[in-house]
Amino acid sequence: METPFASGPAELFARIDNAAIDNAASAASEGVLFAKLDQAINWARKNSIWPMSFGLACCAIEMMSMSASRFDIARFGAEVFRGSPRQSDLMIIAGRVSNKMAPVIRHLYQQMPEPKWAISMGACATSTGVFNNYALVPVNQVIPIDVYVPGCPPRPEQLIHALMLLQRKIQAESGTTKNVLNL
Ligand code: SF4
C-alpha cells in the first residue's frame, strides 16, 4: 500500500474492507431459495438500520436535525440511535477525523457486530475538507465507507438520500443467508 498522506502508525492505515471479495465468492453459488431468503433478510435489514450516537464536529448538528421532527428519519426506520457500538449497525462519520480520533473510530467500528455499514458525512470526513493539514486523515483510511455525502455541511436531506442509497445497497447484497447461517 502507498504511504498515506497523513502520518501515523502503519496499522491505522491497513485496509480492513476485503469482506466484499468474500461476499462475491459466496454469491456465485447462490440457489433460487437462498436468493429469495436473501431478499427477505435484506428487506428487513434495510428498514431497521440502527445508527450509533456519534458525532465529531459541526456536521453532527445536521445529523441530529435529520433525526428530529422536521426531517424525521423514522420514516426510513433508522431513528433508533444507539448509545453503544454493540447495538449499532451504522456509523455516520459526521465531522473531521483527527489522527488522535482515528484509532478510537476504528476501535468503535470493530466493536459493532456484523453486518455493519458506514457513511462519510461532509467534506471533512471524506477528504479533510478545508482543514487540509497534518492533523486530519480521510476516514476511508481508517474504516471502510459505503456512502459518501458531499457538502459543508451537507443538509439533512442529503444525509437522508445517503441513507436511501445505503438501503439500496443492502437490498442488493447477495450471499446474506449463507453468511447468517455460516455456510
Ligand atoms: S464538512 Fe463543514 S460542517 Fe462538516 S465538519 Fe467539516 S467544516 Fe464542519
Side-chain angles (χ1 to χ4, degrees):
M1 182 180 168
E2 287 178 22
T3 310
F5 177 73
S7 60
E11 64 275 12
L12 183 62
F13 301 103
R15 304 288 306 212
I16 56 171
D17 56 352
N18 287 334
I21 298 169
D22 301 338
N23 222 7
S26 72
S29 57
E30 285 267 289
V32 176
L33 177 64
F34 276 168
K36 289 290 172 200
L37 277 171
D38 284 356
Q39 286 175 12
I41 295 171
N42 290 343
W43 177 84
R45 279 182 177 169
K46 78 167 188 176
N47 290 304
S48 58
I49 296 172
W50 287 7
M52 190 161 73
S53 301
F54 178 68
L56 290 167
C58 15
C59 272
I61 304 297
E62 302 294 319
M63 181 182 70
M64 290 176 224
S65 173
M66 177 190 73
S67 66
S69 56
R70 184 179 177 93
F71 299 98
D72 194 11
I73 199 63
R75 293 175 295 150
F76 300 87
E79 80 282 16
V80 189
F81 276 80
R82 306 304 299 174
S84 163
R86 293 185 174 85
Q87 298 171 355
S88 311
D89 53 12
L90 172 63
M91 179 182 265
I92 301 174
I93 304 295
R96 44 198 173 267
V97 178
S98 65
N99 274 310
K100 200 172 181 180
M101 275 302 288
V104 180
I105 290 170
R106 173 169 283 190
H107 190 66
L108 288 170
Y109 183 81
Q110 288 175 330
Q111 285 181 329
M112 291 164 62
E114 293 282 355
K116 55 191 171 188
W117 303 278
I119 291 176
S120 171
M121 179 185 184
C124 285
T126 300
S127 66
T128 72
V130 293
F131 306 100
N132 192 358
N133 63 41
Y134 64 90
L136 302 184
V137 55
V139 70
N140 73 338
Q141 293 186 8
V142 183
I143 60 169
I145 296 295
D146 296 282
V147 185
Y148 293 88
V149 189
C152 175
R155 283 192 52 82
E157 294 97 327
Q158 285 177 266
L159 193 51
I160 290 174
H161 184 238
L163 190 81
M164 291 166 71
L165 290 175
L166 181 63
Q167 286 182 321
R168 202 184 296 174
K169 179 177 180 178
I170 294 170
Q171 185 64 61
E173 271 179 13
S174 55
T176 313
T177 311
K178 286 189 172 181
N179 285 341
V180 168
L181 299 175
N182 253 339
L183 294 176

